[in-house]
């Protein structure tokens, strides 16, 4: 029989041998919940994985009976999605550590430790991280912790639906552009119970790609695993599949079955047909940066710490006094010029005119008169710069005005120095380009804002034929399929490591920001009314 899926036509002939290598969620059946419970009268609707909206995961109230059950049913992996959290209602005593009841346990990875399969875990106590391993044989009652992150439906399907369980989610934002064809009611903002529908992932002898077969496809099959040589199949693996392998399996040799086109390093190593050595997997630091432009066509970059160019500072802009407080540092006085006037409602506090200059001092509280009563208010102590002197003034912390930084520092900085000495976000321009790379895309930018440091997953690879240098390649932003080769790899140090500045798309940029920094919205600004 023939069938089509995702635009791929596939023919399944009688006696065709198929090797099933996994399964993935293809779509979701959703039911509307009330009080986190599905009514028997709730209509079921089908939602594709790209259905719009951002959702919060509702913690599952059904406990797990062992660590082995959690490892078998819950996705635990190297990405920011793959670190589920659980708690036990009772203390758990380990050899060198006691997990307190109701303490949040983060599950990071599953590995064999001293011959025993275990989960590497972390508990944060008094702002200190405590690492330990829980064997899969550990029994008890383990409940899922509340999760304050937000996800797309696709992310929930890939990472947040345990096997053999449904998942309840709550819509976190209003659905955009509702129309009558939407399967959900207009202005819906409630909870949904999601039931996954899977498709099988399989390989066939004469296809180089992975074939997806719907689990409800009406085809009769027979299990021939015990009487067939399955080693004759090619098994395409993604970079994610490689990254999920244990550390002791590296290094390995692989042939590129499907890779990106491009002559620029390191992407030329990933051309179809090339053979590469994959030396290692790890997490590496990057700085997420955006061009400083007034239009919407700004580009976004991930810059490695090994970038050898130098930067000069550029003025930052601050919309409120609260932002001045966040940006100030002990290293130097923050010098700003007001770009917007502000009239204070309290005579004890300063009214700002356009052009006023200030040196930012510190946050404090001040007593003010409000509606005939005295009260305390958060303020920012500053020195106003006059022609021949300085005047101490107080600005209300909630003040919405506008300030531009005055730069006195002419020093040139390496990226690592900026991350160490200053608070991000931080504005710069390349003053000396990185001469070690063929084309430094950062040098052409009119200005850059370093927004935050992130940690991401990378593989270290080199050419199998001419291994003069090795390169870090991102695991989750490259569509590459490889097959492992049974070649011996000499256990020597990988050649000198090279890194590249990576340009990321607008969508990738927002995903990186959304999950790396959950405090994108600053803490609440102080109230205007005194307390």
């Amino acid at each position: 029989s023939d069938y089509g899926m995702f635009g791929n036509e596939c023919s399944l002939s009688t006696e065709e041998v198929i090797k099933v290598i996994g399964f993935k969620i293809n779509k979701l059946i959703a039911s509307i919940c009330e009080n986190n419970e599905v009514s028997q009268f709730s209509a079921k609707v089908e939602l594709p994985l790209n259905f719009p909206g951002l959702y919060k995961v509702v913690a599952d109230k059904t406990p797990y009976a062992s660590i082995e059950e959690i490892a078998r049913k819950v996705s635990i992996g190297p990405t920011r999605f793959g670190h589920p959290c659980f708690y036990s209602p009772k203390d758990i005593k380990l050899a060198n550590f006691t997990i307190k009841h109701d303490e949040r346990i983060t599950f990071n990875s599953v590995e064999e430790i001293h011959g025993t399969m275990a989960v590497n875990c972390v508990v944060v106590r008094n702002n200190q991280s405590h690492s330990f391993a829980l064997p899969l044989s550990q029994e008890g009652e383990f409940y899922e912790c509340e999760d304050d992150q937000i996800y797309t439906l696709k992310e929930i399907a890939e990472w947040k639906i345990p096997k053999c369980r449904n998942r309840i989610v709550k819509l976190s934002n209003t659905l955009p552009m509702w129309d009558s064809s939407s399967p959900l009611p207009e202005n819906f903002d409630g909870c949904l119970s999601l039931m996954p529908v899977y498709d099988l992932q399989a390989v066939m002898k004469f296809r180089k790609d992975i074939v997806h077969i719907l689990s409800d496809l009406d085809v009769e099959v027979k299990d021939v695993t015990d009487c067939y040589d399955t080693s004759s199949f090619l098994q395409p693996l993604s970079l994610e599949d490689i990254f999920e392998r244990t550390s002791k399996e590296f290094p390995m040799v692989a042939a590129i079955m499907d890779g990106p086109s491009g002559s620029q390093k390191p992407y030329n190593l990933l051309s179809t047909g090339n053979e590469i050595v994959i030396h290692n997997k790890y997490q590496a630091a990057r700085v997420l940066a955006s061009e400083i432009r007034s239009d919407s066509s700004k580009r976004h970059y991930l810059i490695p710490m090994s970038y050898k160019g130098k930067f000069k500072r550029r003025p930052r802009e601050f919309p409120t006094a609260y932002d001045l407080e966040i940006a100030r540092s002990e290293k130097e006085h923050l010098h700003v010029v007001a770009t917007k006037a502000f009239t204070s409602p309290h005579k004890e506090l300063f009214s700002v005119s356009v052009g006023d200059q200030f040196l930012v001092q510190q946050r404090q509280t001040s007593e003010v008169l409000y509606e005939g009563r005295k009260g305390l208010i958060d303020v920012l102590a500053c020195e106003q710069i006059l022609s021949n002197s300085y005047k101490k003034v107080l600005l209300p912390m909630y003040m919405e005005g506008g300030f531009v930084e005055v730069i006195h520092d002419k020093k040139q900085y390496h990226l690592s120095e900026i991350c160490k000495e200053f608070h991000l976000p931080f504005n710069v321009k390349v003053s000396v380009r990185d001469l070690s790379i063929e084309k430094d895309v950062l040098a052409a930018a009119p200005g850059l804002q370093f927004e935050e440091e992130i940690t991401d997953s990378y593989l270290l690879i080199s050419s199998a034929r001419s291994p003069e240098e090795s390169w870090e390649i991102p695991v989750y932003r490259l569509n590459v399929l490889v097959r492992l080769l049974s070649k011996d790899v000499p256990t020597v140090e990988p050649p000198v490591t090279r890194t590249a500045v990576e340009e990321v798309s607008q969508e990738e940029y927002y995903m990186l920001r959304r999950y790396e920094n959950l405090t994108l919205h600053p803490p609440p600004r102080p109230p205007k009314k005194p307390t």
Side-chain angles (χ1 to χ4, degrees), residues 3-10 23-28 46-50 154 158 197-202 207 209-215:
Y3 75 96
M5 187 172 177
F6 304 139
N8 293 326
E9 192 78 12
C10 180
F23 54 89
K24 278 192 174 181
I25 295 174
N26 169 248
K27 58 188 176 183
L28 297 164
E46 188 176 298
L47 299 180
L49 298 188
N50 61 356
K154 185 173 186 293
E158 290 177 353
V197 177
Y198 294 91
D199 70 47
L200 301 179
Q201 297 171 286
R207 288 180 67 107
D209 55 346
I210 294 175
V211 177
H212 298 264
I213 304 173
L214 284 171
S215 57

mmCIF file of all heavy atoms in Angstrom, residues 3-10 23-28 46-50 154 158 197-202 207 209-215:
data_model
loop_
_atom_site.group_PDB
_atom_site.id
_atom_site.type_symbol
_atom_site.label_atom_id
_atom_site.label_comp_id
_atom_site.label_asym_id
_atom_site.label_seq_id
_atom_site.Cartn_x
_atom_site.Cartn_y
_atom_site.Cartn_z
ATOM 1 N N TYR A 3 1.211 5.351 1.119
ATOM 2 C CA TYR A 3 0.646 6.393 1.958
ATOM 3 C C TYR A 3 1.594 7.590 1.929
ATOM 4 O O TYR A 3 2.777 7.478 1.623
ATOM 5 C CB TYR A 3 0.427 5.912 3.399
ATOM 6 C CG TYR A 3 1.690 5.796 4.214
ATOM 7 C CD1 TYR A 3 2.092 6.837 5.050
ATOM 8 C CD2 TYR A 3 2.483 4.654 4.142
ATOM 9 C CE1 TYR A 3 3.250 6.737 5.794
ATOM 10 C CE2 TYR A 3 3.641 4.553 4.883
ATOM 11 C CZ TYR A 3 4.023 5.598 5.709
ATOM 12 O OH TYR A 3 5.171 5.511 6.438
ATOM 13 N N GLY A 4 1.038 8.772 2.236
ATOM 14 C CA GLY A 4 1.858 9.987 2.254
ATOM 15 C C GLY A 4 1.805 10.630 3.622
ATOM 16 O O GLY A 4 0.770 10.632 4.277
ATOM 17 N N MET A 5 2.943 11.142 4.052
ATOM 18 C CA MET A 5 2.992 11.800 5.357
ATOM 19 C C MET A 5 4.084 12.833 5.326
ATOM 20 O O MET A 5 5.211 12.559 4.898
ATOM 21 C CB MET A 5 3.249 10.786 6.463
ATOM 22 C CG MET A 5 3.151 11.389 7.849
ATOM 23 S SD MET A 5 3.219 10.130 9.099
ATOM 24 C CE MET A 5 3.164 11.170 10.541
ATOM 25 N N PHE A 6 3.766 14.061 5.803
ATOM 26 C CA PHE A 6 4.720 15.172 5.804
ATOM 27 C C PHE A 6 5.275 15.391 4.396
ATOM 28 O O PHE A 6 6.430 15.767 4.218
ATOM 29 C CB PHE A 6 5.876 14.920 6.775
ATOM 30 C CG PHE A 6 5.427 14.659 8.174
ATOM 31 C CD1 PHE A 6 6.026 13.680 8.939
ATOM 32 C CD2 PHE A 6 4.384 15.375 8.738
ATOM 33 C CE1 PHE A 6 5.614 13.435 10.232
ATOM 34 C CE2 PHE A 6 3.962 15.133 10.028
ATOM 35 C CZ PHE A 6 4.577 14.161 10.773
ATOM 36 N N GLY A 7 4.458 15.092 3.371
ATOM 37 C CA GLY A 7 4.921 15.317 2.004
ATOM 38 C C GLY A 7 5.807 14.207 1.481
ATOM 39 O O GLY A 7 6.264 14.263 0.349
ATOM 40 N N ASN A 8 6.070 13.136 2.242
ATOM 41 C CA ASN A 8 6.899 12.031 1.776
ATOM 42 C C ASN A 8 6.021 10.858 1.378
ATOM 43 O O ASN A 8 5.286 10.322 2.200
ATOM 44 C CB ASN A 8 7.869 11.577 2.877
ATOM 45 C CG ASN A 8 8.891 12.640 3.191
ATOM 46 O OD1 ASN A 8 9.299 13.370 2.310
ATOM 47 N ND2 ASN A 8 9.300 12.718 4.450
ATOM 48 N N GLU A 9 6.107 10.459 0.124
ATOM 49 C CA GLU A 9 5.356 9.304 -0.354
ATOM 50 C C GLU A 9 6.148 8.047 -0.016
ATOM 51 O O GLU A 9 7.357 7.992 -0.220
ATOM 52 C CB GLU A 9 5.145 9.393 -1.868
ATOM 53 C CG GLU A 9 4.145 8.394 -2.406
ATOM 54 C CD GLU A 9 2.706 8.814 -2.154
ATOM 55 O OE1 GLU A 9 2.466 9.956 -1.769
ATOM 56 O OE2 GLU A 9 1.830 7.956 -2.350
ATOM 57 N N CYS A 10 5.496 7.061 0.541
ATOM 58 C CA CYS A 10 6.200 5.853 0.944
ATOM 59 C C CYS A 10 5.376 4.643 0.530
ATOM 60 O O CYS A 10 4.163 4.623 0.725
ATOM 61 C CB CYS A 10 6.433 5.843 2.450
ATOM 62 S SG CYS A 10 7.306 4.378 3.033
ATOM 63 N N PHE A 23 9.481 6.345 18.377
ATOM 64 C CA PHE A 23 8.166 6.914 18.090
ATOM 65 C C PHE A 23 8.140 8.353 18.590
ATOM 66 O O PHE A 23 8.861 8.730 19.512
ATOM 67 C CB PHE A 23 7.041 6.094 18.724
ATOM 68 C CG PHE A 23 7.195 5.874 20.200
ATOM 69 C CD1 PHE A 23 6.682 6.776 21.110
ATOM 70 C CD2 PHE A 23 7.854 4.756 20.692
ATOM 71 C CE1 PHE A 23 6.811 6.574 22.471
ATOM 72 C CE2 PHE A 23 7.993 4.545 22.043
ATOM 73 C CZ PHE A 23 7.470 5.461 22.939
ATOM 74 N N LYS A 24 7.316 9.163 17.928
ATOM 75 C CA LYS A 24 7.171 10.571 18.299
ATOM 76 C C LYS A 24 5.697 10.932 18.278
ATOM 77 O O LYS A 24 4.894 10.318 17.568
ATOM 78 C CB LYS A 24 7.941 11.485 17.330
ATOM 79 C CG LYS A 24 9.420 11.593 17.634
ATOM 80 C CD LYS A 24 10.054 12.722 16.841
ATOM 81 C CE LYS A 24 11.506 12.937 17.254
ATOM 82 N NZ LYS A 24 12.140 14.042 16.510
ATOM 83 N N ILE A 25 5.356 11.969 19.038
ATOM 84 C CA ILE A 25 3.975 12.454 19.028
ATOM 85 C C ILE A 25 3.730 13.215 17.734
ATOM 86 O O ILE A 25 4.491 14.120 17.370
ATOM 87 C CB ILE A 25 3.717 13.347 20.255
ATOM 88 C CG1 ILE A 25 3.829 12.506 21.537
ATOM 89 C CG2 ILE A 25 2.343 14.004 20.171
ATOM 90 C CD1 ILE A 25 3.731 13.316 22.809
ATOM 91 N N ASN A 26 2.665 12.830 17.037
ATOM 92 C CA ASN A 26 2.341 13.434 15.752
ATOM 93 C C ASN A 26 1.305 14.548 15.885
ATOM 94 O O ASN A 26 1.359 15.565 15.201
ATOM 95 C CB ASN A 26 1.842 12.352 14.802
ATOM 96 C CG ASN A 26 1.224 12.911 13.539
ATOM 97 O OD1 ASN A 26 0.015 12.791 13.339
ATOM 98 N ND2 ASN A 26 2.040 13.524 12.708
ATOM 99 N N LYS A 27 0.339 14.354 16.801
ATOM 100 C CA LYS A 27 -0.702 15.355 17.027
ATOM 101 C C LYS A 27 -1.268 15.129 18.427
ATOM 102 O O LYS A 27 -0.923 14.152 19.107
ATOM 103 C CB LYS A 27 -1.805 15.260 15.969
ATOM 104 C CG LYS A 27 -2.482 13.888 15.908
ATOM 105 C CD LYS A 27 -3.439 13.789 14.717
ATOM 106 C CE LYS A 27 -4.022 12.375 14.614
ATOM 107 N NZ LYS A 27 -4.898 12.244 13.426
ATOM 108 N N LEU A 28 -2.122 16.039 18.855
ATOM 109 C CA LEU A 28 -2.680 15.975 20.200
ATOM 110 C C LEU A 28 -4.202 16.017 20.132
ATOM 111 O O LEU A 28 -4.768 16.795 19.356
ATOM 112 C CB LEU A 28 -2.166 17.148 21.046
ATOM 113 C CG LEU A 28 -0.650 17.172 21.274
ATOM 114 C CD1 LEU A 28 -0.215 18.547 21.760
ATOM 115 C CD2 LEU A 28 -0.234 16.101 22.270
ATOM 116 N N GLU A 46 -8.872 18.035 17.750
ATOM 117 C CA GLU A 46 -7.532 17.648 17.310
ATOM 118 C C GLU A 46 -6.685 18.904 17.131
ATOM 119 O O GLU A 46 -7.092 19.858 16.455
ATOM 120 C CB GLU A 46 -7.641 16.876 15.994
ATOM 121 C CG GLU A 46 -6.341 16.256 15.528
ATOM 122 C CD GLU A 46 -6.531 15.420 14.271
ATOM 123 O OE1 GLU A 46 -7.289 14.428 14.316
ATOM 124 O OE2 GLU A 46 -5.937 15.792 13.235
ATOM 125 N N LEU A 47 -5.512 18.923 17.752
ATOM 126 C CA LEU A 47 -4.616 20.079 17.655
ATOM 127 C C LEU A 47 -3.297 19.651 17.012
ATOM 128 O O LEU A 47 -2.654 18.709 17.484
ATOM 129 C CB LEU A 47 -4.322 20.668 19.039
ATOM 130 C CG LEU A 47 -5.503 21.203 19.848
ATOM 131 C CD1 LEU A 47 -5.012 21.748 21.189
ATOM 132 C CD2 LEU A 47 -6.247 22.296 19.082
ATOM 133 N N PRO A 48 -2.887 20.343 15.944
ATOM 134 C CA PRO A 48 -1.552 20.062 15.392
ATOM 135 C C PRO A 48 -0.478 20.601 16.347
ATOM 136 O O PRO A 48 -0.751 21.458 17.190
ATOM 137 C CB PRO A 48 -1.555 20.841 14.069
ATOM 138 C CG PRO A 48 -2.524 21.967 14.293
ATOM 139 C CD PRO A 48 -3.583 21.415 15.221
ATOM 140 N N LEU A 49 0.742 20.101 16.215
ATOM 141 C CA LEU A 49 1.807 20.526 17.126
ATOM 142 C C LEU A 49 2.185 21.993 16.942
ATOM 143 O O LEU A 49 2.750 22.612 17.846
ATOM 144 C CB LEU A 49 3.053 19.646 16.932
ATOM 145 C CG LEU A 49 2.861 18.156 17.232
ATOM 146 C CD1 LEU A 49 4.197 17.434 17.190
ATOM 147 C CD2 LEU A 49 2.184 17.932 18.577
ATOM 148 N N ASN A 50 1.874 22.556 15.763
ATOM 149 C CA ASN A 50 2.186 23.971 15.535
ATOM 150 C C ASN A 50 1.006 24.884 15.877
ATOM 151 O O ASN A 50 0.983 26.054 15.497
ATOM 152 C CB ASN A 50 2.616 24.209 14.088
ATOM 153 C CG ASN A 50 1.529 23.843 13.082
ATOM 154 O OD1 ASN A 50 0.463 23.343 13.450
ATOM 155 N ND2 ASN A 50 1.786 24.084 11.800
ATOM 156 N N LYS A 154 4.379 22.196 20.687
ATOM 157 C CA LYS A 154 5.401 21.285 20.149
ATOM 158 C C LYS A 154 6.411 20.924 21.229
ATOM 159 O O LYS A 154 6.826 19.766 21.371
ATOM 160 C CB LYS A 154 6.108 21.941 18.960
ATOM 161 C CG LYS A 154 7.105 21.038 18.248
ATOM 162 C CD LYS A 154 7.622 21.722 16.977
ATOM 163 C CE LYS A 154 8.518 20.769 16.181
ATOM 164 N NZ LYS A 154 9.776 20.458 16.863
ATOM 165 N N GLU A 158 7.127 17.182 22.832
ATOM 166 C CA GLU A 158 8.446 16.549 22.751
ATOM 167 C C GLU A 158 9.042 16.247 24.119
ATOM 168 O O GLU A 158 9.805 15.297 24.272
ATOM 169 C CB GLU A 158 9.400 17.437 21.944
ATOM 170 C CG GLU A 158 9.066 17.492 20.461
ATOM 171 C CD GLU A 158 9.972 18.444 19.694
ATOM 172 O OE1 GLU A 158 10.775 19.151 20.341
ATOM 173 O OE2 GLU A 158 9.890 18.475 18.453
ATOM 174 N N VAL A 197 -1.116 11.428 20.161
ATOM 175 C CA VAL A 197 -1.268 10.416 19.108
ATOM 176 C C VAL A 197 0.113 10.266 18.471
ATOM 177 O O VAL A 197 0.693 11.248 18.009
ATOM 178 C CB VAL A 197 -2.307 10.838 18.052
ATOM 179 C CG1 VAL A 197 -2.375 9.805 16.932
ATOM 180 C CG2 VAL A 197 -3.672 11.023 18.700
ATOM 181 N N TYR A 198 0.644 9.073 18.464
ATOM 182 C CA TYR A 198 2.030 8.844 18.064
ATOM 183 C C TYR A 198 2.152 8.439 16.603
ATOM 184 O O TYR A 198 1.211 7.966 15.982
ATOM 185 C CB TYR A 198 2.654 7.750 18.932
ATOM 186 C CG TYR A 198 2.796 8.140 20.384
ATOM 187 C CD1 TYR A 198 1.782 7.867 21.294
ATOM 188 C CD2 TYR A 198 3.929 8.781 20.841
ATOM 189 C CE1 TYR A 198 1.903 8.216 22.630
ATOM 190 C CE2 TYR A 198 4.069 9.139 22.165
ATOM 191 C CZ TYR A 198 3.048 8.856 23.059
ATOM 192 O OH TYR A 198 3.169 9.218 24.375
ATOM 193 N N ASP A 199 3.361 8.650 16.045
ATOM 194 C CA ASP A 199 3.725 7.954 14.818
ATOM 195 C C ASP A 199 5.025 7.212 15.067
ATOM 196 O O ASP A 199 5.818 7.580 15.931
ATOM 197 C CB ASP A 199 3.811 8.901 13.609
ATOM 198 C CG ASP A 199 4.984 9.848 13.673
ATOM 199 O OD1 ASP A 199 6.097 9.399 13.968
ATOM 200 O OD2 ASP A 199 4.806 11.047 13.405
ATOM 201 N N LEU A 200 5.189 6.119 14.325
ATOM 202 C CA LEU A 200 6.392 5.300 14.457
ATOM 203 C C LEU A 200 7.490 5.866 13.574
ATOM 204 O O LEU A 200 7.236 6.328 12.456
ATOM 205 C CB LEU A 200 6.094 3.861 14.039
ATOM 206 C CG LEU A 200 4.997 3.131 14.810
ATOM 207 C CD1 LEU A 200 4.821 1.726 14.243
ATOM 208 C CD2 LEU A 200 5.331 3.062 16.286
ATOM 209 N N GLN A 201 8.714 5.799 14.064
ATOM 210 C CA GLN A 201 9.875 6.151 13.251
ATOM 211 C C GLN A 201 10.550 4.854 12.843
ATOM 212 O O GLN A 201 10.825 3.991 13.684
ATOM 213 C CB GLN A 201 10.859 7.008 14.053
ATOM 214 C CG GLN A 201 10.290 8.350 14.488
ATOM 215 C CD GLN A 201 11.238 9.033 15.449
ATOM 216 O OE1 GLN A 201 11.350 8.641 16.595
ATOM 217 N NE2 GLN A 201 11.926 10.050 14.974
ATOM 218 N N ALA A 202 10.774 4.714 11.559
ATOM 219 C CA ALA A 202 11.331 3.458 11.061
ATOM 220 C C ALA A 202 12.356 3.727 9.969
ATOM 221 O O ALA A 202 12.379 4.804 9.362
ATOM 222 C CB ALA A 202 10.203 2.571 10.521
ATOM 223 N N ARG A 207 16.180 3.371 1.777
ATOM 224 C CA ARG A 207 15.919 4.810 1.977
ATOM 225 C C ARG A 207 16.932 5.339 2.967
ATOM 226 O O ARG A 207 17.260 4.684 3.957
ATOM 227 C CB ARG A 207 14.500 5.036 2.518
ATOM 228 C CG ARG A 207 13.400 4.789 1.502
ATOM 229 C CD ARG A 207 12.045 5.047 2.137
ATOM 230 N NE ARG A 207 11.870 6.456 2.471
ATOM 231 C CZ ARG A 207 11.067 7.299 1.805
ATOM 232 N NH1 ARG A 207 10.393 6.867 0.768
ATOM 233 N NH2 ARG A 207 10.939 8.540 2.188
ATOM 234 N N ASP A 209 16.513 8.227 4.589
ATOM 235 C CA ASP A 209 15.872 9.067 5.595
ATOM 236 C C ASP A 209 15.028 8.212 6.540
ATOM 237 O O ASP A 209 14.836 7.017 6.332
ATOM 238 C CB ASP A 209 14.996 10.145 4.944
ATOM 239 C CG ASP A 209 13.977 9.552 3.987
ATOM 240 O OD1 ASP A 209 14.121 8.372 3.627
ATOM 241 O OD2 ASP A 209 13.036 10.261 3.609
ATOM 242 N N ILE A 210 14.553 8.841 7.597
ATOM 243 C CA ILE A 210 13.678 8.163 8.550
ATOM 244 C C ILE A 210 12.243 8.220 8.025
ATOM 245 O O ILE A 210 11.777 9.281 7.596
ATOM 246 C CB ILE A 210 13.778 8.825 9.934
ATOM 247 C CG1 ILE A 210 15.191 8.605 10.509
ATOM 248 C CG2 ILE A 210 12.742 8.263 10.889
ATOM 249 C CD1 ILE A 210 15.437 9.314 11.817
ATOM 250 N N VAL A 211 11.557 7.089 8.049
ATOM 251 C CA VAL A 211 10.180 7.009 7.579
ATOM 252 C C VAL A 211 9.249 7.132 8.787
ATOM 253 O O VAL A 211 9.485 6.522 9.827
ATOM 254 C CB VAL A 211 9.924 5.666 6.861
ATOM 255 C CG1 VAL A 211 8.469 5.559 6.442
ATOM 256 C CG2 VAL A 211 10.837 5.535 5.660
ATOM 257 N N HIS A 212 8.198 7.950 8.661
ATOM 258 C CA HIS A 212 7.215 8.140 9.727
ATOM 259 C C HIS A 212 5.930 7.398 9.356
ATOM 260 O O HIS A 212 5.356 7.637 8.295
ATOM 261 C CB HIS A 212 6.916 9.630 9.923
ATOM 262 C CG HIS A 212 8.099 10.424 10.348
ATOM 263 N ND1 HIS A 212 8.373 10.734 11.660
ATOM 264 C CD2 HIS A 212 9.118 10.958 9.629
ATOM 265 C CE1 HIS A 212 9.484 11.431 11.738
ATOM 266 N NE2 HIS A 212 9.957 11.582 10.505
ATOM 267 N N ILE A 213 5.473 6.523 10.239
ATOM 268 C CA ILE A 213 4.281 5.726 9.978
ATOM 269 C C ILE A 213 3.273 5.995 11.086
ATOM 270 O O ILE A 213 3.588 5.828 12.273
ATOM 271 C CB ILE A 213 4.614 4.218 9.941
ATOM 272 C CG1 ILE A 213 5.709 3.952 8.900
ATOM 273 C CG2 ILE A 213 3.365 3.401 9.644
ATOM 274 C CD1 ILE A 213 6.221 2.523 8.924
ATOM 275 N N LEU A 214 2.085 6.418 10.724
ATOM 276 C CA LEU A 214 1.052 6.692 11.717
ATOM 277 C C LEU A 214 0.712 5.419 12.491
ATOM 278 O O LEU A 214 0.580 4.343 11.908
ATOM 279 C CB LEU A 214 -0.206 7.235 11.039
ATOM 280 C CG LEU A 214 -0.143 8.696 10.577
ATOM 281 C CD1 LEU A 214 -1.363 9.033 9.736
ATOM 282 C CD2 LEU A 214 -0.069 9.625 11.776
ATOM 283 N N SER A 215 0.555 5.564 13.797
ATOM 284 C CA SER A 215 0.298 4.393 14.645
ATOM 285 C C SER A 215 -1.069 3.765 14.362
ATOM 286 O O SER A 215 -1.298 2.611 14.705
ATOM 287 C CB SER A 215 0.398 4.783 16.122
ATOM 288 O OG SER A 215 -0.501 5.838 16.421
#
